[in-house]
């Protein structure tokens, strides 16, 4: 159990701190009787030491079941900096050419691939060949064919393939899912997912078709796609989509700027979603049923998630998403724990099939039937 002091620091409310002072004393008194975690520690190497890799590394400082023990990068200076910061031994550091040698390193259990999308497949195949569990950022690949190859390779190597779906462990998100499963919203009729921001540097990898696999859909759009599935509890059976491009210089051929897309579900429910690199303030989910609703805004951001339902505000605790994710993944790898919403490669392939269908609908202008 984390200390009450840490809890109060996160809240930053002095008045509430005073109210909770007696509880702080109680927590301090009872802390000694709580058993410390003594199970296996998931020892992770991060492959790709960029901005998000750094966020994961920082979050892992607070993990109780996972630990950063290795580094893989194409930039030697980054490795040196991270070694000093996180105390990583030289024997656990690799570059992109020699990291296949991790097969001989018993101190690394898993490799977390955090690189541009276009590199995910090849790196995960190498991780599997080395006999290590693979964790991969989302979207897992640039299309469903590549994603399935990754799933098959990990199965053949008898290692797990997990994907960084951090929202699948977020408390407010899980509460909405629980309410939907228990029928508190009634029959689900409609979902709306709005995901977007105004992208900056036109030379970055996210606007490079080869590295990104597309544009906004291959970055921020994955949240609305995946969210439509876990919020409704259904799998789409048809897709329609429309693309808008206002800047063909910045958003070159094959790099989408804005896509609106719609899903139809077996129950008759529909989803209306937006993925964009040209609008800010878009991070919202809305779920509507015939007995109630849920609205989340922000719905998928790195900071605190906020939401409300027809019953009032959601007040589940604020967590560091990546810390919870990595601890939960340790449980999945070591104890075969089944999360409420899957985070395995098969789950990711379903999203990739929908991305393929969205791009097909944009290209043809027709409704695309899907079966995932």
């Amino acid at each position: 159990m984390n200390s009450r002091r840490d809890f109060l620091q996160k809240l930053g409310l002095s008045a509430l701190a005073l109210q909770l002072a007696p509880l702080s004393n109680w927590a301090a008194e009872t802390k000694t009787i709580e058993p410390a975690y003594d199970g296996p520690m998931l020892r992770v190497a991060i492959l790709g030491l960029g901005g998000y890799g750094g966020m994961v590394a920082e979050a892992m400082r607070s993990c109780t079941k996972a630990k950063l023990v290795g580094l893989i990068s194409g930039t030697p200076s980054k490795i040196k900096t991270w070694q000093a910061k996180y105390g990583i031994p030289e024997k656990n550091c690799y570059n992109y050419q020699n990291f296949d040698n991790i097969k001989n390193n018993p101190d690394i259990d898993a490799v977390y691939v955090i690189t541009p999308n276009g590199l995910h497949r090849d790196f995960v195949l190498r991780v599997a060949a080395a006999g290590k569990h693979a964790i991969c950022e989302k979207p897992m690949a640039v299309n469903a064919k590549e994603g399935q190859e990754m799933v098959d390779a990990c199965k053949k190597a008898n290692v797990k393939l997990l994907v960084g779906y951090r929202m699948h462990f977020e408390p407010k998100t899980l509460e909405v899912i629980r309410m939907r499963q228990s029928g508190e919203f009634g029959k689900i009729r409609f979902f709306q997912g709005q995901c977007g921001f105004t992208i900056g540097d036109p030379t970055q990898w996210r606007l490079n078709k080869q590295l990104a696999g597309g544009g906004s859909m291959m970055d921020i759009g994955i949240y609305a796609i995946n969210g439509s599935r876990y919020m409704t509890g259904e799998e789409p059976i048809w897709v329609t989509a429309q693309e808008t491009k206002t800047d063909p210089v910045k958003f070159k051929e094959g790099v989408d700027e804005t896509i609106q897309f719609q899903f139809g579900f077996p129950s008759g429910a529909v989803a209306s979603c937006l993925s964009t690199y040209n609008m800010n303030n878009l991070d919202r989910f809305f779920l509507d049923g015939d007995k109630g609703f849920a609205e989340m805004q922000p719905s998928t951001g790195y900071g605190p998630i906020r939401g409300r339902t027809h019953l009032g505000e959601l007040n589940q605790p604020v967590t560091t998403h990546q810390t919870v994710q990595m601890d939960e993944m340790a449980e999945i790898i070591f104890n075969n724990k089944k999360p409420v919403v899957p985070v395995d490669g098969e789950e990711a392939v379903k999203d990739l099939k929908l991305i393929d269908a969205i791009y097909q609908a944009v290209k043809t202008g027709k409704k695309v039937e899907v079966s995932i």
Side-chain angles (χ1 to χ4, degrees), residues 1-310:
M1 178 178 180
N2 290 331
S3 72
R4 186 68 60 175
R5 180 187 61 209
D6 291 342
F7 175 65
L8 294 176
Q9 286 174 345
K10 289 180 180 178
L11 277 150
L13 298 175
S14 58
L16 186 56
L18 290 173
Q19 295 173 23
L20 293 177
L23 293 180
S24 179
N25 294 335
W26 174 82
E29 292 170 1
T30 60
K31 186 175 182 180
T32 56
I33 67 172
E34 294 179 3
Y37 175 74
D38 62 356
M41 184 70 66
L42 181 65
R43 300 165 298 175
V44 180
I46 290 180
L47 188 158
L49 309 184
Y52 190 68
M55 187 177 295
V56 171
E58 283 299 301
M60 287 186 69
R61 290 183 187 270
S62 300
C63 285
T64 59
K65 302 174 185 178
K67 181 180 181 181
L68 176 62
V69 301
L71 306 171
I72 305 167
S73 175
T75 308
S77 61
K78 284 186 178 181
I79 290 181
K80 292 300 181 184
T81 299
W82 280 51
Q83 272 189 277
K85 187 172 185 179
Y86 298 105
I88 308 299
E90 186 67 31
K91 68 181 182 66
N92 289 356
C93 296
Y94 302 87
N95 58 42
Y96 293 155
Q97 287 70 46
N98 68 13
F99 90 84
D100 305 276
N101 293 331
I102 62 171
K103 67 183 178 181
N104 302 315
N105 191 333
D107 296 330
I108 296 174
D109 301 310
V111 176
Y112 195 160
V113 177
I114 310 178
T115 64
N117 309 328
L119 306 178
H120 288 176
R121 172 191 172 276
D122 290 350
F123 280 138
V124 166
L125 294 187
R126 290 173 67 183
V127 171
K132 304 298 181 179
H133 300 294
I135 304 171
C136 185
E137 257 313 300
K138 59 191 181 301
M140 188 176 73
V142 298
N143 55 53
K145 178 178 179 294
E146 285 196 1
Q148 190 60 52
E149 290 172 355
M150 296 160 72
V151 169
D152 294 343
C154 289
K155 284 184 176 179
K156 182 178 179 180
N158 197 31
V159 297
K160 284 188 167 61
L161 172 56
L162 305 178
V163 182
Y165 288 114
R166 58 189 168 81
M167 302 314 298
H168 293 196
F169 307 109
E170 196 282 318
K172 293 181 178 66
T173 301
L174 290 174
E175 173 61 11
V176 171
I177 293 171
R178 184 202 66 75
M179 292 178 69
R180 187 257 302 157
Q181 290 175 334
S182 67
E184 294 181 51
F185 302 126
K187 182 177 174 62
I188 300 302
R189 303 289 188 180
F190 176 70
F191 171 78
Q192 183 178 54
Q194 299 172 329
C195 302
F197 63 92
T198 302
I199 200 164
D201 180 10
T203 66
Q204 64 180 282
W205 70 263
R206 288 177 178 82
L207 299 178
N208 180 314
K209 166 69 168 157
Q210 184 175 0
L211 290 176
S216 69
M217 184 57 58
M218 297 300 296
D219 180 12
I220 197 71
I222 188 69
Y223 289 104
I225 293 169
N226 190 248
S228 71
R229 297 174 52 229
Y230 65 67
M231 292 285 276
T232 64
E234 294 191 81
E235 302 293 12
I237 56 174
W238 59 258
V239 174
T240 52
Q242 308 81 36
E243 180 178 5
T244 302
K245 186 174 291 191
T246 64
D247 188 346
V249 176
K250 187 173 186 177
F251 302 98
K252 297 178 175 60
E253 181 69 25
V255 179
D256 48 283
E257 175 186 327
T258 300
I259 293 181
Q260 298 177 74
F261 59 97
Q262 302 79 40
F263 293 152
F265 300 94
S267 69
V270 293
S272 176
C273 302
L274 172 70
S275 170
T276 184
Y277 269 161
N278 195 36
M279 305 175 205
N280 286 322
N281 309 308
L282 291 176
D283 184 6
R284 177 178 178 269
F285 283 178
F286 181 77
L287 183 70
D288 194 39
D290 56 18
K291 293 182 180 178
F293 72 91
E295 181 180 35
M296 307 181 76
Q297 186 175 13
S299 58
T300 64
Y302 295 140
I305 301 303
R306 294 185 175 87
R308 66 189 180 99
T309 74
H310 58 288

